[in-house]
mmCIF file of all heavy atoms in Angstrom:
data_model
loop_
_atom_site.group_PDB
_atom_site.id
_atom_site.type_symbol
_atom_site.label_atom_id
_atom_site.label_comp_id
_atom_site.label_asym_id
_atom_site.label_seq_id
_atom_site.Cartn_x
_atom_site.Cartn_y
_atom_site.Cartn_z
ATOM 1 N N TYR I 41 51.774 -21.074 1.865
ATOM 2 C CA TYR I 41 50.899 -20.378 2.824
ATOM 3 C C TYR I 41 50.028 -21.280 3.680
ATOM 4 O O TYR I 41 48.815 -21.254 3.621
ATOM 5 C CB TYR I 41 50.055 -19.331 2.077
ATOM 6 C CG TYR I 41 50.941 -18.325 1.377
ATOM 7 C CD1 TYR I 41 51.190 -18.431 0.022
ATOM 8 C CD2 TYR I 41 51.545 -17.307 2.098
ATOM 9 C CE1 TYR I 41 52.044 -17.528 -0.627
ATOM 10 C CE2 TYR I 41 52.392 -16.406 1.470
ATOM 11 C CZ TYR I 41 52.633 -16.526 0.106
ATOM 12 O OH TYR I 41 53.477 -15.649 -0.505
ATOM 13 N N PHE I 49 55.960 -15.252 6.186
ATOM 14 C CA PHE I 49 55.846 -14.139 5.217
ATOM 15 C C PHE I 49 55.710 -12.814 5.963
ATOM 16 O O PHE I 49 56.332 -11.816 5.574
ATOM 17 C CB PHE I 49 54.693 -14.355 4.237
ATOM 18 C CG PHE I 49 54.600 -13.195 3.281
ATOM 19 C CD1 PHE I 49 55.615 -12.943 2.384
ATOM 20 C CD2 PHE I 49 53.531 -12.308 3.326
ATOM 21 C CE1 PHE I 49 55.590 -11.840 1.533
ATOM 22 C CE2 PHE I 49 53.483 -11.207 2.484
ATOM 23 C CZ PHE I 49 54.517 -10.980 1.592
ATOM 24 N N ILE I 52 59.078 -11.813 6.851
ATOM 25 C CA ILE I 52 59.811 -11.298 5.683
ATOM 26 C C ILE I 52 59.524 -9.817 5.494
ATOM 27 O O ILE I 52 60.428 -9.017 5.205
ATOM 28 C CB ILE I 52 59.411 -12.091 4.410
ATOM 29 C CG1 ILE I 52 60.022 -13.496 4.438
ATOM 30 C CG2 ILE I 52 59.830 -11.346 3.133
ATOM 31 C CD1 ILE I 52 59.577 -14.413 3.296
ATOM 32 N N TYR I 58 63.794 -6.610 2.539
ATOM 33 C CA TYR I 58 62.527 -6.767 1.792
ATOM 34 C C TYR I 58 61.816 -5.411 1.727
ATOM 35 O O TYR I 58 60.998 -5.060 2.573
ATOM 36 C CB TYR I 58 61.646 -7.859 2.434
ATOM 37 C CG TYR I 58 60.515 -8.279 1.520
ATOM 38 C CD1 TYR I 58 60.751 -9.092 0.423
ATOM 39 C CD2 TYR I 58 59.213 -7.833 1.739
ATOM 40 C CE1 TYR I 58 59.731 -9.466 -0.436
ATOM 41 C CE2 TYR I 58 58.173 -8.194 0.891
ATOM 42 C CZ TYR I 58 58.444 -9.021 -0.194
ATOM 43 O OH TYR I 58 57.419 -9.361 -1.039
ATOM 44 N N GLY I 163 50.704 -5.506 -2.350
ATOM 45 C CA GLY I 163 51.849 -6.345 -2.012
ATOM 46 C C GLY I 163 52.604 -6.886 -3.200
ATOM 47 O O GLY I 163 53.555 -7.628 -3.033
ATOM 48 N N SER I 164 52.123 -6.581 -4.399
ATOM 49 C CA SER I 164 52.759 -7.082 -5.618
ATOM 50 C C SER I 164 52.630 -8.589 -5.786
ATOM 51 O O SER I 164 53.494 -9.218 -6.428
ATOM 52 C CB SER I 164 54.251 -6.687 -5.648
ATOM 53 O OG SER I 164 54.725 -6.854 -6.947
ATOM 54 N N SER I 165 51.573 -9.170 -5.220
ATOM 55 C CA SER I 165 51.372 -10.610 -5.436
ATOM 56 C C SER I 165 51.059 -10.906 -6.898
ATOM 57 O O SER I 165 51.249 -12.046 -7.354
ATOM 58 C CB SER I 165 50.239 -11.126 -4.548
ATOM 59 O OG SER I 165 50.610 -10.980 -3.201
ATOM 60 N N ASN I 168 53.584 -12.829 -8.751
ATOM 61 C CA ASN I 168 53.757 -14.275 -8.590
ATOM 62 C C ASN I 168 53.063 -15.063 -9.697
ATOM 63 O O ASN I 168 53.169 -16.291 -9.750
ATOM 64 C CB ASN I 168 53.312 -14.736 -7.197
ATOM 65 C CG ASN I 168 54.096 -14.078 -6.078
ATOM 66 O OD1 ASN I 168 53.547 -13.624 -5.089
ATOM 67 N ND2 ASN I 168 55.407 -13.988 -6.225
ATOM 68 N N ALA I 206 66.560 -8.933 -1.480
ATOM 69 C CA ALA I 206 65.207 -8.997 -0.921
ATOM 70 C C ALA I 206 64.685 -10.437 -0.860
ATOM 71 O O ALA I 206 63.793 -10.743 -0.070
ATOM 72 C CB ALA I 206 64.265 -8.131 -1.760
ATOM 73 N N TYR I 207 65.237 -11.299 -1.727
ATOM 74 C CA TYR I 207 64.750 -12.688 -1.779
ATOM 75 C C TYR I 207 65.779 -13.680 -1.229
ATOM 76 O O TYR I 207 65.615 -14.889 -1.377
ATOM 77 C CB TYR I 207 64.342 -13.035 -3.219
ATOM 78 C CG TYR I 207 63.087 -12.252 -3.597
ATOM 79 C CD1 TYR I 207 63.182 -10.944 -4.072
ATOM 80 C CD2 TYR I 207 61.823 -12.786 -3.403
ATOM 81 C CE1 TYR I 207 62.048 -10.194 -4.362
ATOM 82 C CE2 TYR I 207 60.686 -12.057 -3.683
ATOM 83 C CZ TYR I 207 60.797 -10.767 -4.168
ATOM 84 O OH TYR I 207 59.671 -10.043 -4.440
ATOM 85 N N THR I 214 63.684 -15.885 4.397
ATOM 86 C CA THR I 214 63.116 -16.272 3.088
ATOM 87 C C THR I 214 63.454 -17.731 2.782
ATOM 88 O O THR I 214 62.640 -18.461 2.202
ATOM 89 C CB THR I 214 63.621 -15.339 1.976
ATOM 90 O OG1 THR I 214 63.443 -13.993 2.411
ATOM 91 C CG2 THR I 214 62.852 -15.570 0.688
ATOM 92 N N PHE I 217 61.007 -19.756 4.690
ATOM 93 C CA PHE I 217 59.697 -19.634 4.021
ATOM 94 C C PHE I 217 59.656 -20.579 2.806
ATOM 95 O O PHE I 217 58.669 -21.300 2.589
ATOM 96 C CB PHE I 217 59.563 -18.168 3.584
ATOM 97 C CG PHE I 217 58.384 -17.817 2.726
ATOM 98 C CD1 PHE I 217 57.102 -17.757 3.241
ATOM 99 C CD2 PHE I 217 58.592 -17.471 1.385
ATOM 100 C CE1 PHE I 217 56.034 -17.381 2.441
ATOM 101 C CE2 PHE I 217 57.517 -17.088 0.584
ATOM 102 C CZ PHE I 217 56.256 -17.049 1.124
ATOM 103 N N MET I 253 62.666 -18.347 -7.408
ATOM 104 C CA MET I 253 63.106 -19.073 -6.212
ATOM 105 C C MET I 253 63.035 -20.567 -6.522
ATOM 106 O O MET I 253 62.088 -21.034 -7.171
ATOM 107 C CB MET I 253 62.223 -18.759 -5.005
ATOM 108 C CG MET I 253 62.391 -17.331 -4.522
ATOM 109 S SD MET I 253 62.111 -17.035 -2.763
ATOM 110 C CE MET I 253 60.683 -17.990 -2.380
ATOM 111 N N GLU I 281 58.872 -20.486 -7.040
ATOM 112 C CA GLU I 281 58.186 -19.193 -7.179
ATOM 113 C C GLU I 281 58.828 -18.335 -8.255
ATOM 114 O O GLU I 281 60.039 -18.362 -8.460
ATOM 115 C CB GLU I 281 58.252 -18.406 -5.849
ATOM 116 C CG GLU I 281 57.416 -17.123 -5.892
ATOM 117 C CD GLU I 281 57.449 -16.353 -4.565
ATOM 118 O OE1 GLU I 281 58.553 -16.007 -4.115
ATOM 119 O OE2 GLU I 281 56.381 -16.105 -3.983
ATOM 120 N N SER I 283 58.666 -14.114 -9.194
ATOM 121 C CA SER I 283 58.157 -12.826 -8.696
ATOM 122 C C SER I 283 58.529 -11.792 -9.774
ATOM 123 O O SER I 283 59.666 -11.293 -9.794
ATOM 124 C CB SER I 283 58.782 -12.518 -7.327
ATOM 125 O OG SER I 283 58.088 -11.459 -6.718
ATOM 126 N N LYS I 285 58.839 -8.529 -12.093
ATOM 127 C CA LYS I 285 59.019 -7.088 -11.858
ATOM 128 C C LYS I 285 58.679 -6.354 -13.165
ATOM 129 O O LYS I 285 59.189 -6.722 -14.232
ATOM 130 C CB LYS I 285 60.473 -6.809 -11.433
ATOM 131 C CG LYS I 285 60.970 -7.702 -10.288
ATOM 132 C CD LYS I 285 60.119 -7.602 -9.030
ATOM 133 C CE LYS I 285 60.435 -8.658 -7.997
ATOM 134 N NZ LYS I 285 59.524 -8.690 -6.870
HETATM 135 C C1 AVI O 1 53.548 -12.565 -1.799
HETATM 136 N N1 AVI O 1 54.578 -12.151 -2.775
HETATM 137 C C2 AVI O 1 54.262 -10.828 -3.336
HETATM 138 C C3 AVI O 1 55.953 -12.211 -2.266
HETATM 139 C C4 AVI O 1 56.923 -11.725 -3.361
HETATM 140 O O1 AVI O 1 57.696 -10.805 -3.063
HETATM 141 O O2 AVI O 1 56.881 -12.227 -4.474
HETATM 142 C C5 AVI O 1 56.299 -13.608 -1.821
HETATM 143 C C6 AVI O 1 57.736 -13.724 -1.390
HETATM 144 N N2 AVI O 1 58.561 -14.621 -1.798
HETATM 145 C C7 AVI O 1 59.727 -14.452 -1.211
HETATM 146 N N3 AVI O 1 59.665 -13.396 -0.450
HETATM 147 C C8 AVI O 1 58.406 -12.934 -0.503
#
Side-chain angles (χ1 to χ4, degrees):
Y41 301 100
F49 179 65
I52 287 174
Y58 194 75
S164 196
S165 296
N168 300 135
Y207 291 84
T214 311
F217 172 73
M253 292 209 318
E281 187 179 56
S283 194
K285 310 302 169 188

